[in-house]
């Protein structure tokens, strides 16, 4: 998995709490979430730095107008769109080498039961967030055997 793909999943893992889980499951889940954060730390730090240093002059004022729903002239709107695209492209280019790196994750994946405990401890995570997290940190349930048709029997 590429670092840039793992970064948002690590951010979800960073929000997790372990209340109500058994001590063993909580420690395993914590270590797993910590491993994800460590795997993306350099990328996340570089992205934050690029976001600060590459921001065009005057862009913050335009962002504030948009966020506070202040009226904007057509020229301001066009400038906001143009600067935003240029800014995003520059940040993406600056962090591309780190983001393209493949991550070799090394941790014990959670069993289905442990993952269900993590789900119960984090009821505010939506299904998309839980699914993304499960794909990376959980073993999942074994696939059921396909039913045999009369012709196969």
């Amino acid at each position: 998995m590429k670092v840039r793909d793992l970064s948002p999943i690590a951010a979800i893992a960073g929000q997790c709490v372990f209340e109500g889980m058994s001590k063993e499951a909580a420690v395993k889940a914590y270590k797993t979430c910590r491993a994800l954060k460590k795997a993306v730390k350099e990328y996340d730090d570089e992205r934050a730095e690029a976001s600060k240093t590459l921001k065009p002059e005057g862009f913050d004022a335009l962002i504030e107008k948009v966020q506070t729903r202040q009226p904007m002239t057509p020229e301001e709107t066009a400038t906001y769109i143009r600067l935003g695209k240029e800014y995003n492209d520059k940040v993406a280019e600056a962090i591309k080498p780190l983001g393209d790196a493949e991550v070799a994750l090394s941790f014990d994946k959670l069993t289905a039961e442990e993952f269900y405990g993590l789900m119960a401890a984090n009821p505010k995570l939506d299904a998309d967030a839980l699914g993304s997290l499960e794909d990376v940190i959980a073993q999942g349930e074994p696939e059921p055997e396909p039913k045999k048709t009369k012709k196969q029997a």
Side-chain angles (χ1 to χ4, degrees):
M1 174 175 269
K2 293 192 184 297
V3 174
R4 80 167 151 273
D5 299 330
L6 186 60
S7 180
I9 298 167
I12 295 166
Q15 298 173 28
C16 288
V17 296
F18 311 104
E19 189 176 323
M21 297 176 71
S22 72
K23 181 180 175 181
E24 294 80 14
V27 169
K28 187 176 179 182
Y30 167 77
K31 286 182 176 182
T32 300
C33 292
R34 184 90 172 113
L36 293 179
K37 291 299 284 179
K38 284 182 178 180
V40 301
K41 183 180 182 345
E42 182 181 6
Y43 173 78
D44 287 348
D45 290 349
E46 188 65 29
R47 183 179 59 205
E49 182 64 24
S51 294
K52 274 196 297 191
T53 59
L54 297 174
K55 192 176 290 182
E57 192 173 322
F59 193 53
D60 281 333
L62 292 172
I63 289 173
E64 177 148 350
K65 274 191 159 188
V66 169
Q67 290 176 341
T68 58
R69 302 187 191 282
Q70 295 177 29
M72 293 175 66
T73 66
E75 293 80 19
E76 286 175 320
T77 301
T79 300
Y80 172 75
I81 292 169
R82 180 181 51 79
L83 288 178
K85 181 175 178 354
E86 290 172 3
Y87 170 61
N88 289 334
D89 290 347
K90 285 180 184 178
V91 170
E93 188 61 33
I95 61 174
K96 187 176 183 349
L98 285 173
D100 284 345
E102 289 289 331
V103 179
L105 296 173
S106 176
F107 55 80
D108 292 332
K109 289 192 171 201
L110 304 181
T111 64
E113 186 175 319
E114 291 166 335
F115 185 75
Y116 296 152
L118 187 64
M119 286 175 62
N122 294 277
K124 293 187 178 179
L125 292 179
D126 64 24
D128 288 338
L130 288 169
S132 295
L133 198 55
E134 182 180 25
D135 289 345
V136 175
I137 71 168
Q139 296 172 7
E141 295 182 76
E143 293 293 321
E145 291 284 325
K147 292 184 179 181
K148 292 184 178 182
T149 62
K150 290 181 183 178
K151 289 182 180 179
Q152 292 174 329

